């Protein structure tokens, strides 16, 4: 494929792109320029706006402000069909394939006219061969490994003659050898005159393959540079907001914390037990060289070792796809390790980040949602009156604003739903609690209430593990912090920048005056 834009000239230009979701500003004047014949890496923390910006380009979202130019002419993408017509394709992080259909049938979806199986299969073979991708058009998607599914998504875009391909976290689900092959393919595809926008959290991948790098931070473009003129440290600094931005954020956090705790003495004084006190307490959760391999044969957690004692909060920071979700489910007893040794109590409370999907029956009353805890092990006749009384007491204790135990879960605000789930798990957990993104989608007041509940659990002697995509939240809550990078767990200094760099680079950053850790 050869573009009509000379190699090196600007193919796609975005300027001042703004997009909001309700009151949340996902993009705040973002800018980007992609050159023909190049790989352009688009980087940023979780929630920086990378995928949102590319969805604007692909016509899935409309910008409220800003301009887009394609081959030098102003353009508005009203739908993905518009984008494809102009030669722009997008491979999403979560595949859009129909598992029960063949590769050829999936690639034909969205096309025009009658479906000719043989003609489509021949087209798939031709496109895949020209792209240097191995693909069986007659294989059912559900029967092929994840690497082949990734190739199917790419061929589906290439079959529509795209010259700019957007890849959203394409190596997140691939084994190392498959990821390396994909990066080599990207380089060859761009060298042939096409262009790639690579959204990734992996700095090593970006610096290895990209010609240009753009970094977003909280919806704004904070760095644009040729890849040859930068390094991992500078890119990581930009992803974390840079010194000026970080200083402003820390001051805001300090003011917020002071105002949060002014009328709540317990929270204000709850700075965590001294290291000597923590070390003297018993180990509640322990992992020894634990690994987790997913259904596609990809190692999501690699030889993780961790000990969490009674009366401490251990915080984990990670970019999406680093293996933190698998690690937390092993700690919570929801998943078995593939290798290594795990020691956990009989019951570990677990608060997943997606409360709607994984923690609540939205159309059921609150007392039935309370009964979900331990439901798999319960036997005999359920005493629903007892659950109503237990739920009413829990609503009062955790300040869940609801009409009563018979209220339907869907009628509660997000903050009150989160407090309900947290309260349910805390009451039943006993010794340990594992929490994902505790303040996700919550306002200031609800976040403060959740943080207080976690500190109170810690101070009552519970072992608590918290993962948050908000590094400020991890540092604020935790007594010790760890980073996950590409499945590897690393202890870090209790500092936002040190944690962020460990997450992004895989290099542990531990301060000289930090305790060496906790031994059994």
């Amino acid at each position: 494929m050869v573009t009509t834009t000379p190699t090196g000239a600007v193919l796609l230009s975005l300027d001042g792109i703004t997009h909001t979701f309700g009151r949340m500003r996902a993009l705040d004047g973002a800018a980007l320029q992609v050159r023909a014949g190049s790989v352009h890496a688009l980087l940023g923390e979780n929630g920086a706006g990378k995928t949102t910006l590319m969805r604007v380009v692909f016509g899935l979202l409309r910008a409220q402000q800003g301009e887009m130019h394609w081959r030098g002419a102003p353009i508005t993408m009203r739908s993905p069909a518009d984008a494809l017509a102009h030669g722009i394709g997008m491979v999403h992080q979560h595949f859009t394939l129909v598992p029960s259909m063949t590769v050829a049938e999936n690639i034909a979806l969205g096309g025009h006219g009658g479906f000719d199986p043989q003609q489509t299969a021949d087209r798939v073979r031709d496109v895949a061969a020209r792209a240097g991708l191995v693909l069986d058009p007659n294989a059912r998607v559900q029967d092929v490994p994840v690497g082949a599914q990734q190739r199917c998504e790419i061929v589906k875009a290439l079959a529509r003659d795209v010259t700019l391909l957007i890849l959203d976290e394409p190596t997140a689900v691939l084994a190392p050898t498959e990821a390396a092959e994909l990066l080599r393919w990207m380089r060859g595809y761009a060298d042939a005159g096409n262009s790639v926008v690579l959204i990734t959290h992996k700095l090593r991948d970006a610096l290895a393959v990209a010609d240009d790098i753009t970094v977003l931070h909280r919806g704004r473009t904070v760095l644009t540079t040729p890849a040859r003129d930068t390094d991992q440290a500078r890119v990581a600094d930009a992803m974390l907001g840079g010194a000026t931005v970080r200083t402003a954020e820390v001051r805001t956090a300090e003011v917020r914390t002071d105002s949060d705790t002014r009328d709540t003495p317990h929270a204000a004084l709850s700075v965590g037990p001294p290291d000597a006190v923590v070390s003297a307490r018993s180990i509640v959760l322990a992992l020894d060289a634990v690994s987790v391999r997913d259904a596609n044969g990809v190692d999501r957690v690699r030889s993780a070792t961790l000990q969490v004692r009674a009366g401490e909060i251990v915080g984990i920071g990670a970019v999406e796809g680093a293996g933190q979700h698998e690690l937390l489910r092993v700690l919570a007893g929801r998943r078995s390790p593939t290798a290594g040794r795990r020691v956990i109590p009989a019951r570990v409370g677990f608060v997943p980040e997606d409360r709607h999907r994984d923690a609540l029956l939205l159309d059921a009353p609150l007392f039935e949602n309370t009964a979900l805890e331990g439901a798999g092990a319960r036997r005999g006749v359920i005493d629903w009156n007892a659950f109503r009384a237990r739920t009413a007491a829990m609503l009062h204790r955790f300040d869940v604003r609801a009409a009563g135990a018979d209220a339907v879960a869907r009628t509660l605000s997000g903050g009150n739903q989160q407090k309900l789930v947290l309260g349910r798990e805390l009451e039943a957990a006993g010794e340990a609690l594992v929490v994902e993104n505790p303040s996700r989608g919550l306002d200031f007041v609800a976040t403060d209430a959740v943080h207080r509940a976690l500190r109170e659990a810690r101070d009552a002697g519970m072992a608590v593990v918290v993962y948050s995509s908000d590094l400020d939240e991890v540092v604020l809550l935790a007594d010790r912090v760890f980073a996950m990078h590409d499945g590897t767990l690393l202890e870090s200094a209790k500092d936002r920048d040190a944690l962020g760099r460990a997450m992004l680079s895989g290099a542990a950053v531990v301060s000289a005056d930090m305790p060496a850790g906790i031994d059994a």
Side-chain angles (χ1 to χ4, degrees), residues 69-116:
H69 288 77
W70 175 250
R71 302 191 193 280
I75 191 171
T76 299
M77 298 298 183
R78 296 178 175 82
S79 69
D82 278 357
L84 289 167
H86 284 86
I88 301 174
M90 184 170 182
V91 176
H92 304 274
Q93 180 177 2
H94 302 289
F95 298 158
T96 59
L97 303 171
V98 180
S100 61
M101 298 174 68
T102 67
V103 167
E105 290 167 344
N106 270 280
I107 290 173
L109 285 175
H112 301 285
F115 173 64
D116 184 326

Side-chain angles (χ1 to χ4, degrees), residues 126-165:
D126 177 59
V127 173
R130 284 191 285 117
L133 298 170
V134 178
L135 203 59
D136 178 3
N138 297 315
R140 292 199 179 276
V141 166
Q142 64 191 11
D143 297 328
V144 301
V146 68
Q149 294 179 30
Q150 180 78 268
R151 294 193 292 273
C152 180
E153 289 278 20
I154 292 173
V155 170
K156 185 175 181 178
L158 298 182
R160 288 160 173 77
D161 297 319
V162 302
T163 54
L164 171 62
L165 187 61

Side-chain angles (χ1 to χ4, degrees), residues 283 285-292 300-309 312 314-316 323 327-328 330-331 337 339-343 465 480-484 487-492 508 516-520:
I283 295 171
L285 301 169
L287 303 179
D288 182 15
V290 162
S291 296
V292 178
R300 311 304 297 174
V301 178
R302 296 181 176 88
S303 195
T305 295
L306 175 68
Q307 296 169 344
V308 186
R309 290 186 180 268
E312 72 167 335
V314 167
I316 295 176
L327 180 83
L328 293 176
V330 169
L331 285 168
R341 189 171 70 96
R342 170 184 65 181
V343 178
V465 178
R480 291 190 297 141
V481 297
F482 288 76
M484 283 209 75
T488 301
L489 188 66
L490 307 158
E491 190 161 10
S492 168
I518 296 175
D519 297 322

